[in-house]
């Protein structure tokens, strides 16, 4: 079945440092979504990327979708303590299963103030 | 409320008991999902409803698990004869889109199940 892998599993940074998490799928994806889950909270949608090579920015967050549509990355510039949480990527199934999102294990980001 | 509502938030039960977890999705959302999330892991798909129709239950671990959404709104996930390995966070999510178009999922706060 489809597999979505994320690295690193954990990342600890000093406030102000940059952070990047990487997501790789075993299959070509029609789109990829990113979610953020704060400690003790629930996953909250951040963004969806659809086009090959797409780059989208949300303030200090930059999301990329690979040319082959099998990988993606999330980069945070100048981290803040409010960025703490687990970042998940998720890809839909293929064909008639595109409603079914497969989530990666996530990258837990902690920020030292 | 404006978000996805789940109840109970916490459920502690003894092994062998049945439990029912409830999800009230965002009003008007067509699609409803149940996911299970273990500590330190991403959400794992259990089942999917399009309106009242359960269109995919491939993620349900075994036949002790069942779900329904009889009127296309509120859904119940039932676990019969609970086992300790069923302990997890059960999350409901809804989406305004139908199965043909993936879009963002709106997750509830979850129901934390502990089986003693």
């Amino acid at each position: 079945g489809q597999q979505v892998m994320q690295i690193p599993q954990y990342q600890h940074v000093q406030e102000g440092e940059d952070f990047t998490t990487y997501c790789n799928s075993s299959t070509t994806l029609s789109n990829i979504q990113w979610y953020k889950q704060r400690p003790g909270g629930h996953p909250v949608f951040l963004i969806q990327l659809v086009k090959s090579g797409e780059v989208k920015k949300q303030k200090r967050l930059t999301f990329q979708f690979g040319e082959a549509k099998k990988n993606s990355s999330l980069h945070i510039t100048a981290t803040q303590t409010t960025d703490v949480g687990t970042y998940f990527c998720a890809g839909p199934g293929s064909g008639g299963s595109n409603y079914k999102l497969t989530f990666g294990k996530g990258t837990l980001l902690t920020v030292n103030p | 409320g404006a978000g996805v509502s789940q109840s109970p938030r916490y459920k502690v039960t003894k092994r062998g008991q049945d439990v029912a977890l409830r999800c009230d999705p965002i009003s008007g959302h067509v699609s409803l999902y149940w996911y299970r999330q273990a500590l330190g892991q991403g959400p794992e798909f259990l089942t999917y409803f399009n309106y009242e129709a359960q269109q995919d239950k491939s993620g349900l671990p075994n036949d002790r698990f069942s779900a329904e959404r009889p009127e296309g709104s509120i859904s119940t996930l039932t676990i019969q004869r609970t086992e300790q390995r069923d302990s997890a966070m059960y999350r409901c999510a809804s989406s305004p889109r139908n199965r043909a178009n993936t879009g963002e999922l709106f997750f509830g706060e979850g129901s934390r199940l502990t089986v003693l």
Side-chain angles (χ1 to χ4, degrees), chain B residues 3 11 14 31 34 54 56 60 66 71 79-80 94 103 111:
Chain B
K11 178 69 177 179
K14 291 184 179 180
S31 294
W34 283 98
Q54 186 177 25
D56 188 332
L60 295 178
S66 63
E71 297 179 359
I79 308 173
Q80 294 180 314
S94 69
S111 292

Side-chain angles (χ1 to χ4, degrees), chain B residues 24-36:
Chain B
D24 193 350
I26 294 172
S27 179
H29 277 199
V30 168
S31 294
L32 185 145
Y33 302 76
W34 283 98
Y35 279 82
R36 181 167 68 176

